[in-house]
Amino acid sequence: MYKRQVSLDAEGQPSYVIPPQCAWDFLQFSSEFEALASRCQAVCFGTLAQRRDGARETIEAFLTKAENAIRLFDVNLRQDFYDLSMLRRGCALATVLKVNEQELEVLSELLDLSGDPVAALFGRFPMERLLLTRGDRGCILFGANNTKLEGKMISYPAAPDADAVGAGDAAAAGFVIGLLAKMTDGQVLELANHMGAWVASQPGASPTLPAHILDMVMVRTSA
């Protein structure tokens, strides 16, 4: 019996051991998936669920059908569950790339990106935005038209046993929610930074969000 293992360093930064034979290793494309892809507004996908060929083909088929959706590619470079072909295809199918600083370095090396890696990615792939997560320094949002937006650093008092597990995922979720809510890029980035910072201040990957963060979305959508 395998168990997912998460270990934390002295600063609460996580590292992971991902077991084989997970349910998402056996995704199969179906008529229900095809119908969902045609009507969905956003889909987030990463590398882990593509480590088996069949699941990768299913995810690529879904993304191809979801041509009108926001398609966020989260470059999770865990263990050895990725390869050059997967990364190229993921970038080609994405409208948004979400990557941290270490992953950007690896991506730059594997894809042989010269000069500014962010500019090179926009030059090579048809993505619209790139979200760079930087831990407690918050996120930077890059646009295909050479724009760069850096939000204010957000921090919350750390709860007992706080860790950074799920902080990047929370930032990505806030980013997608903001885009769906038709927020401005500045508002989207603010929401992403608040959600990532809050999760990093709490133990576990999915703490309950406080009302003031939820209100950031409600106020924008009701305005």
Side-chain angles (χ1 to χ4, degrees):
M1 177 68 69
Y2 288 95
K3 293 183 179 180
R4 181 177 297 126
Q5 299 177 5
V6 181
S7 58
L8 304 174
D9 64 19
E11 297 180 352
Q13 298 299 316
S15 59
Y16 305 88
V17 175
I18 311 297
Q21 306 298 313
C22 294
W24 36 261
D25 285 322
F26 303 95
L27 291 172
Q28 295 183 346
F29 198 66
S30 63
S31 58
E32 290 81 4
F33 273 11
E34 184 170 6
L36 176 61
S38 67
R39 67 175 188 271
C40 75
Q41 295 178 295
V43 54
C44 299
F45 66 104
T47 51
L48 283 175
Q50 300 185 66
R51 61 184 176 179
R52 290 176 63 96
D53 290 343
R56 184 187 306 191
E57 292 168 2
T58 294
I59 290 172
E60 289 188 2
F62 189 95
L63 293 167
T64 300
K65 294 291 184 179
E67 57 184 353
N68 296 318
I70 298 164
R71 300 182 299 278
L72 185 145
F73 180 29
D74 189 350
V75 183
N76 283 319
L77 303 182
R78 306 290 189 219
Q79 297 172 231
D80 59 349
F81 298 134
Y82 61 92
D83 57 37
L84 180 58
S85 175
M86 180 195 300
L87 295 173
R88 282 177 174 163
R89 187 61 174 158
C91 290
L93 290 168
T95 62
V96 179
L97 185 68
K98 180 257 182 184
V99 63
N100 65 30
E101 292 174 297
Q102 294 75 31
E103 291 161 348
L104 182 59
E105 290 180 6
V106 175
L107 199 60
S108 178
E109 180 178 351
L110 290 176
L111 295 177
D112 194 23
L113 303 176
S114 58
D116 179 352
V118 173
L121 283 166
F122 278 115
R124 189 175 300 185
F125 300 104
M127 64 186 65
E128 299 169 5
R129 295 176 173 88
L130 185 149
L131 183 68
L132 177 65
T133 61
R134 305 177 302 159
D136 59 7
R137 291 178 292 136
C139 304
I140 299 178
L141 175 59
F142 297 89
N145 54 353
N146 296 318
T147 60
K148 176 181 177 181
L149 185 60
E150 184 171 357
K152 295 180 180 179
M153 290 177 57
I154 307 296
S155 64
Y156 291 95
D161 299 322
D163 58 64
V165 178
D169 291 333
F175 185 78
V176 172
I177 290 168
L179 292 180
L180 290 172
K182 306 298 183 183
M183 295 180 177
T184 67
D185 281 352
Q187 292 167 344
V188 169
L189 190 58
E190 181 183 13
L191 178 61
N193 278 334
H194 272 278
M195 288 182 61
W198 173 258
V199 171
S201 75
Q202 304 296 308
S206 53
T208 300
L209 293 173
H212 75 272
I213 292 181
L214 298 176
D215 287 344
M216 292 173 68
V217 180
M218 299 302 294
V219 170
R220 301 291 190 255
T221 55
S222 63

